[in-house]
Each structure stands twice: as C-alpha cells, then as structure tokens.
Amino acid sequence: MNENTNTSTKLNIGECRLSYVHLFTPEAITDGSEKKYSVSIIIPKNNTKLVSQIKQTINAALQAGVASKFGGQAPRAWKNPLRDGDLERADDEAYANSFFINATSKTKPGIVKIMKINGVNKLVEVTDENEVYSGCYGIVNVGFYAFNNAGNKGIAAGLNNVMKTRDGDYLGGRTSAQTDFGGVNLDDYDPDNWDMPE
C-alpha cells in the first residue's frame, strides 16, 4: 500500500503507542499539501531490541536506495524517519523517553484488531473510527523506502497496515467517559425514573 514492496525493508513496529491518528480519512499535514492517511508511531527508547530492528531496516532501505535514488553513493546528509521525541517533541509528554516515526500512505491502510471467535483469536477488520484513536496501542506494519526530491534525500516510512492491540489514555487532553464519571455514584440514579436525586 506504499511505494515499497521489498520485504527486507518492511517491519512490524510494535507494540507501540499511536498518535496523530488519521487512518480512516486522509488529512493534509500542511495547508495545500496532498491528503494522506497517517499515524505517528511512538516507540519507547528502552525497547532496545525493537529500536535496533528499526535501525537495521532503515539502513537496508538506505542501501537499497543507493542505486535507485542516490546515484550509486549513500548521501552524507539524509532525513532519517526515526526521530527523537525528547528533542523534537520536548513539550509533549507522550513522546518523552521515546523515538517516533511518522508513517503515511496515499491509500487507506488495513485496520484490524484481535477478537476471540469460537475460542480462537482472529484478526477482524475495524470499521468503527472511534476504536483506533490517538493514545491506543498497536502494531504498525511499515515499509521504509528511499526518496530524492530536488536534492531532498532520505528514507520515508510508508504506512501499510495497523493492528490495534489494546486501549490507552486518550492523547490531546481528551479523557474517557469512565474516567470523567468515575466518581459519580451510579446508584443515585434510576434509569426508569429520571428525577434528579436530592
């Protein structure tokens, strides 16, 4: 679903936290830019095994791009899709002690979750936009690929598919109804009699 089909430059990233989720409707990142499906993937720095896998896969994409995009030689300076949340998103607590990758796609990604059906875990399509949101957790399949646009060189992350694994606190200030109403004594209210309690 992105520009890359080489399996050596594809990777399941997860479990990670999702932010800036635009998986059901494409959005333009800046005014006048092309609308794309996108998600920001937050990866804890202490998940050293996953971080190492990501770096290896990005390097494979860089090497693959030497012949196809970079004229036979790896560029000295290039844009790396693995970014430091402590440096670039210092004002956002969700990105603390984390790396992040912004993955995009021109076509809608597959979006699934795990459900137990007849006692067996199965992947089922998610059709409710409210189920996958900024703050939930999942595994994101991305394909890294090289680009060279007017001298702007680097590796980008193409968004393929997303599997939600579990819920999390909403990002961006929103809280769940369970959190907001957790202190309300539900026994004070009778759904059959909507008179306010005294």
Side-chain angles (χ1 to χ4, degrees):
M1 299 185 78
N2 65 77
E3 291 86 340
N4 178 25
T5 57
N6 185 339
T7 56
S8 68
T9 57
K10 285 180 64 176
L11 182 66
N12 284 332
I13 300 177
E15 185 186 50
C16 56
R17 198 169 191 195
L18 309 183
S19 183
Y20 296 97
V21 173
H22 301 289
L23 299 176
F24 293 89
T25 305
E27 298 282 341
I29 296 174
T30 58
D31 289 340
S33 65
E34 182 181 7
K35 290 185 177 182
K36 292 185 178 181
Y37 299 91
S38 61
V39 65
S40 184
I41 307 164
I42 303 175
I43 305 117
K45 288 181 177 178
N46 62 10
N47 190 342
T48 55
K49 181 178 179 181
L50 178 58
V51 171
S52 177
Q53 289 175 332
I54 293 169
K55 288 179 177 179
Q56 289 174 12
T57 310
I58 290 171
N59 187 60
L62 184 67
Q63 296 309 313
V66 166
S68 64
K69 295 290 184 179
F70 304 138
Q73 185 174 357
R76 290 184 181 178
W78 53 280
K79 290 194 174 181
N80 191 329
L82 183 64
R83 297 158 65 181
D84 192 325
D86 292 313
L87 298 177
E88 297 192 46
R89 297 279 174 85
D91 58 343
D92 192 333
E93 186 179 323
Y95 287 80
N97 303 311
S98 299
F99 292 110
F100 70 97
I101 294 171
N102 295 329
T104 64
S105 176
K106 295 178 182 179
T107 56
K108 188 175 182 296
I111 308 165
V112 296
K113 64 179 179 180
I114 303 168
M115 283 188 67
K116 193 172 288 293
I117 301 174
N118 297 326
V120 178
N121 284 347
K122 302 274 189 177
L123 288 180
V124 296
E125 181 181 5
V126 175
T127 56
D128 182 353
E129 295 185 26
N130 294 316
E131 282 198 62
V132 184
Y133 53 87
S134 295
C136 75
Y137 292 82
I139 299 172
V140 183
N141 182 272
V142 300
F144 294 104
Y145 61 94
F147 65 87
N148 184 353
N149 299 323
N152 186 19
K153 301 176 182 179
I155 303 299
L159 173 61
N160 291 323
N161 299 294
V162 176
M163 181 177 77
K164 178 184 175 181
T165 54
R166 59 189 171 100
D167 287 313
D169 292 333
Y170 289 97
L171 297 178
R174 181 181 172 188
T175 56
S176 69
Q178 287 77 9
T179 298
D180 284 344
F181 302 122
V184 175
N185 184 354
L186 302 183
D187 292 333
D188 286 344
Y189 298 87
D190 182 357
D192 297 322
N193 179 8
W194 286 113
D195 291 338
M196 290 293 293
E198 297 185 9

